[in-house]
Amino acid sequence: MVLTRRDFLKKTCSVSTKAALAIQLTPLAFASQADPNLRRVLTGSKFGTFEAELNGNTIKEITVDNIHSKMIYHAYKTINNPSRIKTPMVRKGYLSGDNSDRGSNEFVPISWEKAIDILFKEIENAQSQHGPSSIFPLSLWGMFGQFGNCGTAMQRAINLHGKTMSSTGFYSFAAAESILPEIVGDIEVTSEQTTLNYVAEHTELLILWGCDPIKNLKIGFSVPDFSPYKYWQQIKQKIDQGKIEVISIDPVTTDTQNYLNAKNIAIKPHTDTALMLGLCYELLEQETYNKRFIEDYTDGHEEFFSYLLGEKDGVKKTAEWASAICGLPVTTIKSLAKKFTTKRTLLSSGWSAQRAEHGEHYCWSLVALASMIGEIGLPGGGFSFGYNANDAGAATSNGSRLGVMSATVKDASPKYDKPYTSTPYFPTSRMVDVINNPGKVVPFKGKDITYPDLKVFVVAGANPLSTHQDVNQLKQALNKLDFIATIDCQWTATCRFSDLVLPTTTVWERDELIPYGNATNRGVIGMKKLVEPMYESKDDYEIWRLFAAKFDRENSLLKGKPKFSG
């Protein structure tokens, strides 16, 4: 047989193409090729990407190609489940002016027209009678997508009506984001982290301080790409080879402890600062701290050392003092301090330990301890506050990031432009204090702020009755408000405590654009709508379009773009 050059190229192309498809396409893709009635769509979620097999308006099956994405098998079921909000609802007592039955789950279905009328009436009354300091719109973790983002859609429409209150700080890391810029000049918690390959190569002692990345990296603000897991696998290999020692300081056993076979030092919850001070005292007393680093790169160490030695309060922060507070043996504390000065040490902190009263002290003490160890800036040494979330630890792309719809409309005039009667913002976690103490002046980040007199609370993509630090206090405080509205797709605790509940679509019931890779910024996913909106739900953009139409600002809201087409 004579094989010509042309025949050779044709046959090799055919073979290579089939091989490439076999690598790139899942079995689901081949099934959709064989059955023309099936449609295969790649989409995303806060738990990663997945492929959905569609038959009409039904998701028949999903395929996940990553072992870290298992939560998707449950997440997409939010499209249709018993907790789905099916129609606009109003609290029964609201209709008669009674707030005593908030939380009783007695709701009455109403039309969308009636629902938007109620929403507009309450915001209109508050703005006209009390001004912008009376209205507080809130969005947090539920914000997803660049166009249908519930937070910016709500703020964009409400800003056209008038100014409102805002809050600062996430429940996840409010103490850290407040104090760390003052200590190290950066927020740290959501900043780019040193890539984990440096940890695998240079770190000799890895301290996981309330840090569980193996579990927490499975979710992100946007669509996670799970790229840090390959580095954690490299770290595990180094641990197995005896090249890295890993210790977890945590009250509970974590997924990361189990994965890395880490030694667990089970500290009493929220006594971390005492342990750190005891460790710092031990380094000072034994004169094993890095004197040159302290003198060259820190400020205020004289006052800190004086505090450790008890020169002002008469209490030395010894290992014995720390042991009585945190519940660890004195020998464990002293042994840990000795390890810090004999190995390249990285203190990797999560966010849980700073979620406490005076949580700033935890962050400050960890940086102080890392400074006394003196390896900040060296490969594999120092401290971190961000390896536990949002693909942190993998390399970041230098490409431009996908923008989000603006919450303000250029050259548009709001219906109201009244002055604030308070500071225009307050810390998110102080919501109870704000409601209970209107007009109170309190210190915040080095200056005084004045609390507003809130009347109306509008929630979209948040669930404060789940995330707030004291839910019972929040319930009592919320009952003092005139009106609470929640926009969501599921019956959350906050929905059940609201006066008005509006059903929005899930992200899979609309066309959307979403970044792929949180810290890594690897690309963009065009999310085609998987199914038509269920029941009477509307996307956030449409809900707020209806609201804006009530005061002739619909055209300003839309700017000639009535609907996003994916």
Side-chain angles (χ1 to χ4, degrees), residues 32 41-42 45 90 127 134 157 193 195 232 252 255 285 294-295 304 307 338 364 462 481 494 507 543 552-553:
S32 64
V41 178
L42 174 67
S45 73
V90 64
Q127 188 69 259
S134 66
Q193 308 295 305
T195 50
W232 284 107
V252 298
D255 290 356
E285 180 71 13
I294 290 295
E295 291 173 0
F304 179 60
Y307 174 72
K338 187 174 182 180
W364 206 334
L481 299 181
T494 306
V507 71
I543 292 171
D552 298 323
R553 295 298 190 279

Side-chain angles (χ1 to χ4, degrees), residues 342-363:
T342 58
K343 295 183 175 183
R344 179 63 57 84
T345 301
L346 173 62
L347 306 179
S348 180
S349 172
W351 300 341
S352 57
Q354 53 86 57
R355 295 179 190 143
E357 188 174 8
H358 305 301
E360 296 87 352
H361 292 179
Y362 164 84
C363 304

Side-chain angles (χ1 to χ4, degrees), residues 90-102 121-122 479 481-482 499:
V90 64
R91 183 174 56 82
K92 186 176 180 180
Y94 171 84
L95 298 175
S96 59
D98 180 12
N99 285 347
S100 64
D101 67 339
R102 275 188 181 149
K121 181 193 73 172
E122 294 291 349
N479 264 328
L481 299 181
D482 293 344
D499 302 309

Side-chain angles (χ1 to χ4, degrees), residues 370-384:
S371 298
M372 293 186 73
I373 296 170
E375 294 176 344
I376 298 173
L378 296 179
F383 67 90
S384 167

Side-chain angles (χ1 to χ4, degrees), residues 41 103 158 206 242 244-245 300 330-331 355 365 431 474 502 513 522 538 544 559 564:
V41 178
I158 291 182
L206 175 60
I244 299 178
E245 180 181 4
V330 173
T331 54
R355 295 179 190 143
S365 299
M431 193 186 312
L474 181 60
L502 304 182
L513 291 174
R522 291 181 63 188
K538 297 182 183 293
W544 291 106
K559 282 290 184 179
F564 173 71

Side-chain angles (χ1 to χ4, degrees), residues 168-169 174 178 425-428 430 442-449:
T168 178
S178 296
Y425 62 88
F426 59 86
T428 305
R430 293 194 196 174
V442 298
F444 178 64
K445 290 188 176 182
K447 59 183 179 181
D448 289 340
I449 63 172

